[in-house]
Amino acid sequence: MLAGEHGEVVERNFRLLVRLGEIYGADRMIHVDSVQVAGVSYKSIGDPGLEFLEDMANRGAKVKVPTTLNPPGMDLLDWRELGFPEDFAEKQLQIMDAFKKMGIAMTATCTPYLVGNMPRFGEHIAWSESSAVSFANSVLGARTNREGGPSALAAALCGVTPNYGLHLDEKRKPTLLVKVNAELNDNSDFGALGYHVGKIVKDGIPYFKGIKKAELEQLKALGAAMAASGAVALYHVEGITPEARLMSPNGLEVIEFGEKELKEAYAKLNTGESPDIVILGCPHASLKEIAELASKLEGKSLKKPVWICTARATKEAASKMGLVEKIEGAGGKVVADTCTVVSPIERMGFKCTAVNSGKAANYLPGFCKQAVVFNNVDELLRKVLA
Ligand code: F3S
């Protein structure tokens, strides 16, 4: 590939991977079984990103391994009905075309593991969406660094990644012990915990003790929040995540997370009072989360917009189950493909957004100029039910 036998695009991308490997002291390249590419929304990459992707696609770039895509900045089918701006949509669709030409699956989700890209324990992958990186490393035991958009794309086009960082056993050890004494019930509690710990541990690896039970949805909320307030790409939860039993937290610095810290995290994430819209599904909602929302909204009526963001494949399953109908019957929307943060909601008249996600609450003020109401789903719905 480096000698140009696979064409100029592959050669250029392989050089990028070699450079990355040199910087981080990698001993060799390793095969990756899947790639997940971020940097999809026109809002994030703008015209320079679009031009870069179109140039690659026009030069014949094709992925060598199964590759899935992060959310774009709008629902790819219902964008007009939902009020997304025309000029934005035009550019976003051009971006999607470029990715499609390269052979990338149009999954458009930050939860690829829920819709067919599910790595096995120990598998080497190159993913770039930070919440998905955290889930793959921590909950599934797969191995990926937190790739940038270009390095993930290079891995997809070459089928390899440099062997460094979280691909190595010794780099997966915990760096901080977190003793959790607070009672965690809702997904938002896990988001608040993640927000608090991410700020302290930064790009380290926390080891949690004291979390008695955590559902898949709660683990995705926890990882997403830590990846946003810090740069956590891997965490361990005693008795829950697969590599925790291989690790010892003895001798690590210890922090405590009790009811006081939980309350403080909620207080910090709340910057608004009266939401214009409630947006759930960050990271993208599972079928279970959509079913729960449908049962809460069945027969009710909403006075403000409520969106639940999810992958298109999940929306289709929810639709066949009659869940979308129940949510829409109350005036809510199941919004596919896109997400709270990468969509241009600030251009759509919204100033205060309510969320149950620690990640979204952390990013919305900066990326979308939103005041934020952060709470669990029941409390958020109480504010917007007629
Ligand atoms: Fe996914 Fe967007 Fe949240 S990419 S994790 S829904 S900020």
Side-chain angles (χ1 to χ4, degrees), residues 34-115:
S34 78
V35 172
Q36 197 258 357
V37 171
V40 180
S41 171
Y42 178 64
K43 178 172 163 177
S44 325
I45 65 172
D47 286 323
L50 168 59
E51 280 158 27
F52 168 77
L53 292 169
E54 281 186 332
D55 179 55
M56 294 261 271
N58 291 338
R59 285 168 191 262
K62 288 271 181 261
V63 299
K64 284 194 166 53
V65 290
T67 302
T68 51
L69 205 59
N70 224 30
M74 63 184 199
D75 186 310
L76 295 168
L77 292 183
D78 297 336
W79 57 269
R80 209 172 254 124
E81 180 199 331
L82 288 159
F84 285 88
E86 288 277 340
D87 58 332
F88 183 91
E90 196 184 313
K91 301 279 189 174
Q92 186 64 68
L93 292 171
Q94 287 171 19
I95 291 172
M96 299 313 282
D97 276 350
F99 281 126
K100 194 170 158 193
K101 262 195 193 162
M102 292 187 229
I104 297 177
M106 296 287 102
T107 45
T109 182
C110 50
T111 57
Y113 47 87
L114 292 179
V115 295

Side-chain angles (χ1 to χ4, degrees), residues 70-71 110 129 131 224 281-284 338-342 357 359 363:
N70 224 30
C110 50
E129 156 54 33
S131 69
C282 169
H284 271 175
T338 192
C339 99
T340 338
V341 172
V342 299
S357 157
K359 174 174 176 177
Y363 280 154

Side-chain angles (χ1 to χ4, degrees), residues 2 21 35 41 45 68 97 114 120 200-201 206 215 217 220 240 283 309 322 343 380:
L2 206 49
V35 172
S41 171
I45 65 172
T68 51
D97 276 350
L114 292 179
R120 284 170 294 116
I200 296 168
V201 74
E215 295 174 354
E217 288 75 9
K220 81 176 162 66
I240 293 180
C309 297
S343 62
L380 297 183

Side-chain angles (χ1 to χ4, degrees), residues 184-265:
L184 305 175
N185 296 312
D186 297 293
N187 293 6
S188 53
D189 293 343
F190 281 81
L193 167 63
Y195 171 75
H196 179 84
V197 172
K199 279 203 169 306
I200 296 168
V201 74
K202 301 195 172 65
D203 63 352
I205 302 174
Y207 183 105
F208 292 95
K209 252 180 193 280
I211 298 179
K212 292 173 201 75
K213 199 169 134 289
E215 295 174 354
L216 177 153
E217 288 75 9
Q218 295 167 332
L219 293 171
K220 81 176 162 66
L222 172 65
M226 281 192 290
S229 67
V232 175
L234 166 65
Y235 64 90
H236 303 292
V237 184
E238 190 178 61
I240 293 180
T241 59
E243 281 169 88
R245 67 195 151 80
L246 309 172
M247 307 291 171
S248 166
N250 292 342
L252 292 178
E253 185 195 334
V254 183
I255 63 162
E256 308 259 348
F257 186 84
E259 297 298 335
K260 178 176 152 276
E261 286 77 14
L262 181 64
K263 263 204 198 106
E264 281 171 7

Side-chain angles (χ1 to χ4, degrees), residues 149-171:
S151 67
L153 195 55
L157 298 173
C158 301
V160 297
T161 195
N163 189 37
Y164 72 93
L166 294 175
H167 292 286
L168 308 171
D169 287 344
E170 65 270 22
K171 299 286 186 191

